[in-house]
Amino acid sequence: MDLFKTLFTPSLTELNRLPMTSPTTATSGRTVVGLDGTWDFTLVPSPADAEDGWWDRPEGWRPIDVPGVWTRQGSGDLPHYTNVVMPWDEVPPAVPAENPTGLYRTTFSRPDEPRVTVCFGGAESMLVVWCNGELVGMGKDSRLSSSFDLTPHLVDGENQLAVAVTRWCDATWIEDQDHWYHGGLHRSVQLIGTGPVWVDDLITVGDFDPATGLGSLDVTAEVGSVERLGPGWTVTAALTLDGAPADTAASAEVPRTPKAAGGGAHVAAYAYVGQEASIRLDDLAVAPWSAETPTLYPLELSLIDPDGRVAETVTRRVGFRRIVVADRRLLVNGAEIMIAGVNRHDHHPDTGKTLTEAEIRAELVLMKQHNINAVRTAHYPNDPILLDLCDELGLYIIDEANIESHAKHDSLAVGGLFDLAMVARVSRMVLRDRSHPCVIGWSLGNESGYGAGHDAAAAWVRRVDPSRFVHYQGGLHHSWAHDAPAEGRERPPTALERQVTGLVCPMYATVSQIRSWAEWAERTGEDDRPLILCEYSHAMGNSNGGLADYWAAFRDLPALSGGFVWDWRDQGLRERTDDGREWFAYGGHYGDEPNDANFCINGLVDPDGLPHPGLRELAWLARPVVVTVDGGGVTINNRYQQQIVAPGLVSISWTLETDGAVTAAGTLEHPSVPPGQQVTVGLPTELDPAGLGEPVDATTVTMTVALATDQPWADAGQVLSREQTVLATGPDGHMTAIETAKSEAADNEADGTTPGQDNPLVSHIVTTVGATLWRAPTDNDGVAQGWTAPVTGIRPTWLEWGLDRLTVGDEVIGEWTGDRDGSRTRSVARSLGPVDHRSVQVAHADGSYRFEETFTVPHKLTDVPRIGVTVAVPKELQHLRWFGPGPDETYPDRHAGATIGRWTSTVAEQYHPFVVPQEHGAHVDCRWFELTDGAGRGFRIGGEPTLIFSARNHGDRTLTEATTLAELDEDDTIEVHIDAAIRGLGTAACGPDTTEVVGPGTHRLVWWLRPIG
C-alpha cells in the first residue's frame, strides 16, 4: 500500500487520532465494551503486501489473542533483542523493506450511543485503523494509547474493525530501548459509547500544605459535544471525606461555545477557554498521600444538562500531596524522602509485554515487601494499570516518555528530525498520567542525547504541570560520562541543563563520584538540586555487589536522595526443550542478529518473579525502621518520613543467641515514634549486661520489626527489618573460634559428632582435597568457558592465565611424623601453575584433622576469582548447617543484610536458577559448616577464625560450560569449596567493578575437619 510510505514520516505522529486524556471510570451515561479476546489475524512480509481490501479476503486467517504480541503466538516472526544497535542497518528515518505487518480484524455490534470511539491501549510499532472498509486513522508511540472516533463509519448492527500493525516504522528510531522488540496489539482494546455531550477529560490536582495540614483540590472537566454547546450545562464535583460527601460538593458552569459573530465575539476571543469547567475545593481536612501513607479519596463528577438531568457521571480516586525540590532535597509534604527505587519494564516471560492487573499487582506487592518505594517506568509509560495500583499501594513514580535513540544517540537529538515526535510523546504522557498522585516527576526519555526537542518538551511540561519536577539524564550526560574528569561534574549547572532536569540524575556513577559531588555541592551551595541515580547497581546475574556502599553514601550525605536499581525483572522469555526442560531465552536464541545476548537478563527478580539475593540486600539497606541495642538501652529509629511507628502498626521482637543457639527471646514494648525521629527505651531484663555475665565471642541480640496488622501489600508478620548487635567478637572484629577441649566436647555432645579413627569420608576428603583459583564466572566477571559476555573483555586475563585449567602440578608430600600427644603431622608442597601452595596437615588422635594452607600469589596475577581448596563429596550428604552470616548466600561486597546464626538448609536449596548459570552459593565469614546424610552421618569443617565455603550440586565446570538452564545438569557429587578469599561481585557488566579484589601476596587459610555420626 502506498499509504504506508506516506505514513512513515517522522513529523506525522498521528492521523485523526483523538487528543490524549486521562483514564476515568464512568458510573452512568457511558457504555464501555471490551474487545479483548480472539481476533482474526494474518501476517504479511511487509506493508506492501497488505493489498487494498485485505480485511475482506476469505482465506489465510488464524485466531490470535488480543492483547498480545504476535512474536509470542506462533506467527513465525520472532522476538529480537538488542540494546544499542538497531535491528537493521538503515539510515534514519528509513524503515527496512522486510517489515512484517500484522493484519487484524474483528466484528462488534454498535453500542446504543450517539458517539462511539475505540481505544487501543498499545500497539508496536505503528497501527492503522479501518472501520467497515473506511480509513479511520493512524497512531504511533507503542507505549501509549491511540483513540479514534468511529461514529462516522458505523452502521446499524454488525460492524467490522480492521487494524494493520507494522513491526517497524520511522518511530522505531526513537524506541530503541534496552528491551525486546515485539510486534502487535499488546494492551487492551475498548469501545466507548457516550451521549451527545460527555466528559472528555477529568483533571485533578490535589495539593497538601504541610504548614496548615489542609488540602486543596483543583478539578477541571473538559466537556466534549457533538454539536455546538448551548448554555445551561454544569458540572458538579463531590469529594467523599470520612465516608460522606457533605460540604465538599461544588459546581461550575461549562462555558458555552461562542458564535463567530455578534457583539460578544471580540470579548469571547480572549475570554473563552473552551468547554472547560474548573472547580476548586479549599481547606480540606484530609490526610496527605505518600508512598508510606497512600490515602485516597473518591471524587465523583457529574455532568448536568440544562434541565437538571445527570448526563454522565465519572469517578476517580484522588490524593493530596506536595512535591518540592529545593536545597538539594526532594520533599514530599514538607519531609525529605529517600528513593529506594527500581527501573521497570512491562515484561512477561510468556506473553512478552502483556500483563494482567493481578500480575502487575503481584510485582508491586513484592516491591513493597522488600522496602522499595519508587519505580522509574523505563523507558516508556508503563501500562496505566500500574499507576492506579501505585496510587493505591503507595509507590512513587518517575514517569518516563517513550523516547530513546541510543543507536544514534546524539545525531537524532540535534538533527531536528524527531523534535515534533518527542514533544508529542512527552505531552501525551503528561496528559494521560497527570492526575495520579503517585507520579512525582516526569522524565523526557532515556539515552537520546540532548537537543532542542528536549528543551521544547521540558518547557511544555513546566507550563502544563508546574507541580512536579522534570528530569532527564541526557541533559548532564557528558559531564557524568565515565571518562569525564572529576571537575566536570563539580560545577554549577548551566541554564540549559536546568531547563531539562531538576535533578542531578546520572547513571552508573561510582560511589566516590557521587560522594565527591555531594560534598562539593553542600560545601559551595553552587547546585541546589538533589542527586538521584536514575540507574545504578546493575543487577545482571549474581550481582549488586557494593550496594551497601551506595546506601552508606545516601545516609551520610543529605544531597544524595537515593536511586533506581537497574532493573526489576530479568527479561527472559520462557522456552522448553523437546523433552520438556524449561529455560529462558535471551538475545540470539531466536536467530535475531545483531543482538546483545543476555544483557537483558539484569533484574532483581527472575522472569517468573523469584527474588535474587540482591533484592533481599536492597530490602535491608532500605529498611524503614532500625532498632539497635547498646548498654544504654534500645533505640528505635523511625526512617519513615510520613508514617508514625506505632505499636498498632509494627511489633518488635528480640532474640538472644550464644554461639547461634537461642538462649532468650521476647517482645519489646515501645511507644509511638514520630516520622524521622528516634526514641530510646530500657533494655529488657534478659539483655541487661549485668545479667549476661561474661559474653562468649558470639553473643548476639537480634531485633526484628514486623507488621502488627494486615496491610494491602502484606499480612501481619511481614518482616520490615532485622538488626543484629554482636555483643562480643574477636580482636580482629571477626567471630573467634572456640577450639578448647571443653568447648569441643560440649559441641560434640550437642551436635552428635563422633570422633574416631579411619573414618572413610574424612580419609576421602584428606586424600582428595585440592587447591583452586577458579570460580564459574558471573555476568560481572565477563568471561566464561567458550563464550564471552556482551560487555566483552572485562577480565579475559582469567582465561589467558589458564585459571580454569589449573590443576595441581608438581607435588611434594612429606611423611607423617608422630607427636607426643598422639597426633601426626605432614607438610605438602604444591604448584598450582604460578601459585605456590603449602599445606601443613595435623591428624589428631580423635580422628579430626587441622590444615594450615598458605598460598603465594605472584604479582602478575593481579585479580583472581578465589583462593582456596576444594573437594568432591558423596551426593547423599544433602543436609547443610552452618554458623555464620545467613540465611542467604554472602559475598565480600554483598552481606550487609545478613545476620549471624545457626542456619539449616540443603545443598539443593543452595542452587539459584540464574538464567545464565554462574557462580553462586558462597558464605563468607563462617565459623563452621557441616554436611550430613539422612541418618546424620557426615562431617563438620571449621575455620580459625573463620572461612568462606560453598557446597553445590553443580560444580564450577558445569556452571561455567552451561549457557542456559536447559544445559545445566547436576553433578554426581557435591562440590565443596573452602576458601581463604573470594572475589566480590560488583556490577562491572554495566557500572563499577567490585572493590573486593583478590590479588597477589600471601593468603592463609586455617581449617579443621572432623566426622559426624
Side-chain angles (χ1 to χ4, degrees):
M1 268 189 183
D2 292 337
L3 169 66
F4 287 92
K5 293 181 180 179
T6 303
L7 298 180
F8 289 155
T9 302
S11 59
L12 184 61
T13 63
E14 60 190 34
L15 180 66
N16 296 335
R17 182 165 61 184
L18 295 172
M20 177 62 77
T21 59
S22 55
T24 55
T25 300
T27 58
S28 67
R30 182 179 298 193
T31 300
V32 179
V33 178
L35 294 183
D36 292 354
T38 302
W39 290 41
D40 294 333
F41 176 79
T42 188
L43 188 71
V44 294
S46 73
D49 296 292
E51 300 175 354
D52 290 339
W54 57 263
W55 45 83
D56 286 331
R57 72 184 190 186
E59 67 279 330
W61 299 94
R62 49 156 287 200
I64 196 169
D65 290 335
V66 173
V69 292
W70 70 65
T71 44
R72 295 296 288 164
Q73 297 192 63
S75 68
D77 186 34
L78 300 176
H80 193 137
Y81 169 65
T82 66
N83 173 26
V84 177
V85 299
M86 296 294 286
W88 21 261
D89 185 17
E90 302 287 345
V91 176
V95 177
E98 184 178 338
N99 186 2
T101 300
L103 306 178
Y104 295 79
R105 71 181 184 187
T106 192
T107 59
F108 62 91
S109 296
R110 172 176 181 154
D112 189 20
E113 304 285 356
R115 179 178 180 269
V116 178
T117 62
V118 63
C119 177
F120 296 90
E124 186 174 355
S125 64
M126 181 185 78
L127 83 160
V128 188
V129 182
W130 289 262
C131 183
N132 295 325
E134 297 179 346
L135 178 65
V136 176
M138 175 274 293
K140 299 173 188 174
D141 190 344
S142 300
R143 312 301 177 217
L144 284 175
S145 61
S146 292
S147 296
F148 304 93
D149 189 352
L150 297 182
T151 310
H153 311 285
L154 295 178
V155 298
D156 292 335
E158 187 174 82
N159 291 260
Q160 184 193 68
L161 188 63
V163 182
V165 180
T166 61
R167 182 79 186 267
W168 319 113
C169 72
D170 57 281
T172 307
W173 286 100
I174 55 172
E175 294 185 356
D176 183 26
Q177 287 99 355
D178 180 11
H179 196 242
W180 292 95
Y181 287 100
H182 290 289
L185 300 172
H186 61 87
R187 292 182 188 161
S188 289
V189 183
Q190 288 184 330
L191 289 176
I192 302 170
T194 65
V197 182
W198 65 93
V199 178
D200 200 41
D201 199 4
L202 173 62
I203 304 146
T204 54
V205 180
D207 183 37
F208 181 82
D209 186 348
T212 64
L214 297 174
S216 63
L217 181 67
D218 287 304
V219 180
T220 301
E222 295 182 352
V223 177
S225 60
V226 174
E227 298 178 349
R228 184 187 302 275
L229 192 66
W233 286 86
T234 60
V235 294
T236 298
L239 181 68
T240 299
L241 301 178
D242 298 325
D247 300 323
T248 59
S251 297
E253 184 178 352
V254 181
R256 62 179 297 184
T257 309
K259 294 183 179 180
H266 183 76
V267 175
Y270 290 89
Y272 179 64
V273 295
Q275 295 175 182
E276 180 179 290
S278 297
I279 297 171
R280 182 176 176 87
L281 302 175
D282 279 313
D283 298 327
L284 300 173
V286 294
W289 186 97
S290 71
E292 300 167 12
T293 57
T295 305
L296 298 172
Y297 297 91
L299 173 72
E300 183 177 87
L301 184 127
S302 296
L303 174 64
I304 302 170
D305 70 15
D307 296 325
R309 294 186 297 263
V310 175
E312 189 175 53
T313 300
V314 295
T315 63
R316 170 177 294 142
R317 298 177 301 179
V318 298
F320 298 84
R321 55 100 185 96
R322 180 176 292 180
I323 309 299
V324 174
V325 175
D327 300 324
R328 291 170 295 283
R329 310 293 188 271
L330 173 58
L331 307 176
V332 175
N333 304 324
E336 181 181 354
I337 67 168
M338 180 74 71
I339 294 294
V342 294
N343 288 271
R344 179 191 179 273
H345 276 291
D346 282 333
H347 179 80
H348 191 283
D350 299 314
T351 67
K353 291 202 76 67
T354 302
L355 294 96
T356 65
E357 179 177 349
E359 288 167 338
I360 297 175
R361 181 183 291 272
E363 285 189 76
L364 300 179
V365 163
L366 190 61
M367 292 180 194
K368 292 281 290 186
Q369 291 175 350
H370 287 82
N371 297 328
I372 290 167
N373 69 357
V375 173
R376 175 180 177 230
T377 66
H379 296 294
Y380 44 80
N382 287 183
D383 192 301
I385 293 172
L386 178 92
L387 302 183
D388 292 330
L389 294 174
C390 287
D391 285 344
E392 173 190 327
L393 296 172
L395 288 109
Y396 300 118
I397 292 287
I398 289 185
D399 213 356
E400 189 152 273
N402 184 22
I403 301 170
E404 181 166 341
S405 60
H406 208 161
K408 305 293 180 183
H409 189 276
D410 293 314
S411 59
L412 291 190
V414 301
L417 190 63
F418 288 92
D419 285 359
L420 289 175
M422 292 167 59
V423 175
R425 287 166 181 246
V426 172
S427 63
R428 295 181 75 243
M429 170 185 69
V430 173
L431 293 174
R432 188 194 78 166
D433 296 340
R434 57 181 164 174
S435 294
H436 285 280
C438 66
V439 178
I440 61 172
W442 307 107
S443 169
L444 304 180
N446 185 69
E447 294 177 320
S448 299
Y450 178 27
H454 295 102
D455 291 331
W460 188 97
V461 174
R462 287 196 168 92
R463 176 67 177 83
V464 172
D465 179 27
S467 70
R468 298 175 173 95
F469 60 80
V470 177
H471 137 83
Y472 179 54
Q473 179 267 342
L476 46 78
H477 169 76
H478 294 293
S479 62
W480 280 88
H482 293 300
D483 56 353
E487 58 271 17
R489 292 178 290 274
E490 296 167 6
R491 54 157 181 75
T494 64
L496 284 178
E497 183 178 310
R498 284 188 177 277
Q499 166 68 14
V500 293
T501 185
L503 307 177
V504 178
C505 47
M507 55 174 61
Y508 307 111
T510 65
V511 174
S512 61
Q513 286 173 340
I514 64 174
R515 277 188 175 275
S516 177
W517 177 89
E519 291 166 354
W520 164 83
E522 292 283 4
R523 183 178 67 253
T524 66
E526 293 193 17
D527 198 336
D528 59 355
R529 301 170 299 170
L531 186 149
I532 297 176
L533 289 157
C534 68
E535 296 176 22
Y536 81 112
S537 194
H538 193 263
M540 187 173 179
N542 201 4
S543 187
N544 303 109
L547 191 57
D549 297 332
Y550 281 100
W551 275 83
F554 298 163
R555 301 293 187 195
D556 290 347
L557 299 166
L560 303 180
S561 297
F564 297 86
V565 171
W566 185 270
D567 62 1
W568 171 243
R569 183 186 291 267
D570 287 342
Q571 280 93 59
L573 294 172
R574 193 189 322 274
E575 298 292 344
R576 288 180 175 83
T577 61
D578 292 340
D579 60 357
R581 297 185 66 173
E582 184 177 284
W583 59 288
F584 294 103
Y586 45 83
H589 283 131
Y590 298 108
D592 43 329
E593 294 290 342
N595 67 77
D596 282 286
N598 64 316
F599 203 63
C600 59
I601 308 298
N602 40 31
L604 289 166
V605 301
D606 81 353
D608 274 332
L610 175 71
H612 291 320
L615 178 58
R616 289 185 284 273
E617 180 89 338
L618 177 61
W620 187 83
L621 294 168
R623 62 202 186 281
V625 184
V626 179
V627 184
T628 54
V629 178
D630 59 28
V634 181
T635 299
I636 305 165
N637 182 359
N638 180 7
R639 285 178 171 169
Y640 284 123
Q641 292 301 310
Q642 319 278 331
Q643 177 77 271
I644 298 173
V645 171
L649 175 70
V650 303
S651 63
I652 303 176
S653 59
W654 57 267
T655 57
L656 181 68
E657 298 180 36
T658 301
D659 284 344
V662 176
T663 57
T667 300
L668 183 72
E669 299 294 330
H670 67 92
S672 294
V673 185
Q677 298 185 27
Q678 65 183 38
V679 299
T680 299
V681 298
L683 285 169
T685 303
E686 297 91 336
L687 301 181
D688 191 326
L692 288 177
E694 185 67 26
V696 299
D697 65 320
T699 300
T700 62
V701 58
T702 304
M703 312 297 296
T704 301
V705 181
L707 288 176
T709 56
D710 292 346
Q711 299 294 320
W713 47 272
D715 294 335
Q718 171 72 36
V719 173
L720 301 178
S721 68
R722 281 194 176 92
E723 206 75 24
Q724 187 175 72
T725 302
V726 179
L727 302 182
T729 61
D732 59 355
H734 291 277
M735 296 181 299
T736 58
I738 302 176
E739 291 300 322
T740 63
K742 180 179 179 181
S743 64
E744 282 289 331
D747 214 11
N748 290 344
E749 182 179 352
D751 296 304
T753 58
T754 307
Q757 293 283 358
D758 302 323
N759 182 288
L761 176 59
V762 172
S763 299
H764 164 76
I765 295 173
V766 172
T767 56
T768 62
V769 64
T772 182
L773 305 177
W774 179 254
R775 77 176 184 198
T778 68
D779 288 314
N780 293 316
D781 294 332
V783 59
Q785 188 76 22
W787 67 282
T788 303
V791 181
T792 58
I794 296 174
R795 268 171 294 283
T797 49
W798 287 12
L799 295 180
E800 293 172 6
W801 293 336
L803 300 186
D804 60 321
R805 300 184 303 274
L806 286 181
T807 57
V808 175
D810 297 334
E811 185 174 271
V812 179
I813 302 177
E815 295 292 330
W816 288 103
T817 58
D819 294 332
R820 292 180 180 178
D821 61 0
S823 63
R824 296 173 297 150
T825 302
R826 71 173 180 178
S827 295
V828 178
R830 293 165 168 163
S831 171
L832 192 65
V835 175
D836 290 330
H837 172 220
R838 294 182 178 275
S839 179
V840 177
Q841 304 173 0
V842 179
H844 294 288
D846 63 2
S848 65
Y849 287 80
R850 184 180 184 276
F851 301 80
E852 185 172 335
E853 320 278 358
T854 303
F855 302 84
T856 304
V857 180
H859 289 292
K860 71 175 184 177
L861 300 187
T862 55
D863 181 357
V864 297
R866 65 156 29 105
I867 294 177
V869 297
T870 186
V871 66
V873 301
K875 193 67 172 287
E876 56 267 22
L877 301 179
Q878 286 291 313
H879 298 275
L880 171 66
R881 288 206 312 157
W882 74 93
F883 181 36
D888 291 325
E889 64 180 31
T890 50
Y891 284 82
D893 59 355
R894 199 191 66 207
H895 60 82
T899 54
I900 298 167
R902 295 193 185 201
W903 303 102
T904 300
S905 181
T906 66
V907 175
E909 290 169 345
Q910 296 297 291
Y911 168 64
H912 194 89
F914 290 108
V915 169
V916 177
Q918 56 196 273
E919 158 68 28
H920 64 276
H923 299 273
V924 302
D925 208 20
C926 293
R927 186 194 293 177
W928 54 258
F929 72 96
E930 62 185 31
L931 290 171
T932 57
D933 61 16
R937 294 185 296 267
F939 63 89
R940 175 181 285 193
I941 288 176
E944 295 183 15
T946 59
L947 51 74
I948 305 166
F949 85 90
S950 61
R952 299 187 307 245
N953 289 322
H954 304 89
D956 281 333
R957 182 165 296 279
T958 299
L959 291 170
T960 301
E961 293 177 348
T963 61
T964 69
L965 294 174
E967 301 170 3
L968 190 63
D969 292 307
E970 289 190 0
D971 295 347
D972 295 331
T973 56
I974 299 170
E975 184 172 280
V976 176
H977 284 277
I978 310 157
D979 293 323
I982 189 169
R983 197 180 196 279
L985 298 170
T987 59
C990 187
D993 198 358
T994 181
T995 58
E996 301 292 336
V997 176
V998 180
T1002 300
H1003 299 265
R1004 187 170 177 267
L1005 169 67
V1006 179
W1007 60 285
W1008 47 263
L1009 163 71
R1010 64 169 180 264
I1012 297 176

